[in-house]
Amino acid sequence: DTAVSQTPKYLVTQMGNDKSIKCEQNLGHDTMYWYKQDSKKFLKIMFSYNNKELIINETVPNRFSPKSPDKAHLNLHINSLELGDSAVYFCASSQGLGYSGANVLTFGAGSRLTVL
Amino acid sequence: SQKIEQNSEALNIQEGKTATLTCNYTNYSPAYLQWYRQDPGRGPVFLLLIRENEKEKRKERLKVTFDTTLKQSLFHITASQPADSATYLCATILTGGGNKLTFGTGTQLKVEL
């Protein structure tokens, strides 16, 4: 049973299109995250949600809109895709809010987005 | 500004040797530091967490140290194997970072036969 699952794993699309990535966790965790990993492999946080409430919005363009219908799901919708959006997007989850730094993240396998 | 830095150059070592990876942080003092492993095409996987009052933490062939004076954590893999080849990331929460776990750039380790 996959703990954090993301779909789709690969996404190839044209500039200007709108696309969504879905994430689900079956760990019973309270907090979910979206991270972006660029071509240089740098992993950067985009959003975090705790029990469906937005906690972190890391100066991400408005074209990115996360949605958490319940605490087990966190989806990412991207409007008007640009070339620079090409990256691997990782969903993750953790127990609790994680303010201490002791909360361990469980990551999904990633969704590779290619914008042509 | 606060930073987490790892050696961006790949580390190549011979099988059986000890691999040592470095994580340096500047301008803050984290209470915890985490280490993750990332294989190509996969998400990072948690390995070890060390607290600021712990000098050392071990798990099987893995050892992590935390030197708050040097502002540095070292990650050791003893008796390294080709299967240990991966990218290793350190992570922590920066001062004022809320619950935002910030990752270093990662160091790619290659263990050769």
Side-chain angles (χ1 to χ4, degrees):
Chain A
D1 241 4
T2 306
V4 179
S5 57
Q6 301 178 224
T7 53
K9 186 162 175 65
Y10 299 98
L11 197 48
V12 181
T13 188
Q14 300 286 334
M15 259 194 326
N17 283 352
D18 304 338
K19 289 293 174 188
S20 293
I21 307 171
K22 294 187 175 182
C23 179
E24 176 182 2
Q25 56 97 1
N26 63 5
L27 297 166
H29 286 169
D30 297 322
T31 307
M32 295 185 73
Y33 310 80
W34 279 111
Y35 277 81
K36 177 180 179 180
Q37 190 167 47
D38 60 26
S39 56
K40 293 184 179 177
K41 308 296 184 190
F42 182 57
L43 198 61
K44 188 168 186 231
I45 191 165
M46 300 172 69
F47 302 101
S48 80
Y49 270 75
N50 177 264
N51 279 321
K52 304 191 295 177
E53 272 193 51
L54 180 66
I55 303 295
I56 291 175
N57 181 342
E58 193 62 11
T59 58
V60 176
N62 290 341
R63 299 182 295 103
F64 290 79
S65 52
K67 279 194 173 58
S68 182
D70 55 60
K71 77 172 195 175
H73 295 84
L74 179 62
N75 304 322
L76 183 65
H77 187 76
I78 316 170
N79 290 328
S80 304
L81 279 156
E82 300 176 357
L83 292 176
D85 298 332
S86 295
V88 182
Y89 293 85
F90 286 100
C91 178
S93 70
S94 70
Q95 186 62 41
L97 271 168
Y99 283 105
S100 68
N103 279 36
V104 167
L105 267 57
T106 301
F107 283 84
S111 297
R112 179 176 292 277
L113 171 65
T114 303
V115 182
L116 304 173
Chain B
S1 63
Q2 301 175 41
K3 284 183 187 175
I4 305 173
E5 294 176 329
Q6 295 183 255
N7 191 346
S8 57
E9 289 181 20
L11 178 64
N12 292 348
I13 65 164
Q14 214 169 8
E15 185 181 18
K17 302 288 186 188
T18 296
T20 298
L21 286 68
T22 305
C23 177
N24 294 304
Y25 53 92
T26 57
N27 299 332
Y28 73 107
S29 298
Y32 300 88
L33 202 135
Q34 303 183 25
W35 282 89
Y36 289 75
R37 168 183 172 143
Q38 186 174 20
D39 290 284
R42 300 197 170 194
V45 174
F46 170 75
L47 296 174
L48 282 166
L49 178 149
I50 188 165
R51 294 173 169 76
E52 63 178 336
N53 60 356
E54 294 177 316
K55 295 294 183 191
E56 183 180 295
K57 196 84 168 273
R58 290 177 186 260
K59 179 181 172 184
E60 296 170 356
R61 295 183 296 109
L62 308 181
K63 183 177 87 171
V64 171
T65 62
F66 198 176
D67 189 326
T68 54
T69 304
L70 290 178
K71 294 187 180 293
Q72 183 180 79
S73 175
L74 297 179
F75 179 83
H76 306 272
I77 306 176
T78 57
S80 59
Q81 305 165 0
D84 295 326
S85 299
T87 296
Y88 292 87
L89 302 144
C90 63
T92 189
I93 290 186
L94 304 179
T95 304
N99 73 336
K100 182 174 67 177
L101 193 66
T102 299
F103 285 81
T105 48
T107 298
Q108 187 178 1
L109 172 68
K110 187 173 178 184
V111 181
E112 298 164 335
L113 291 167

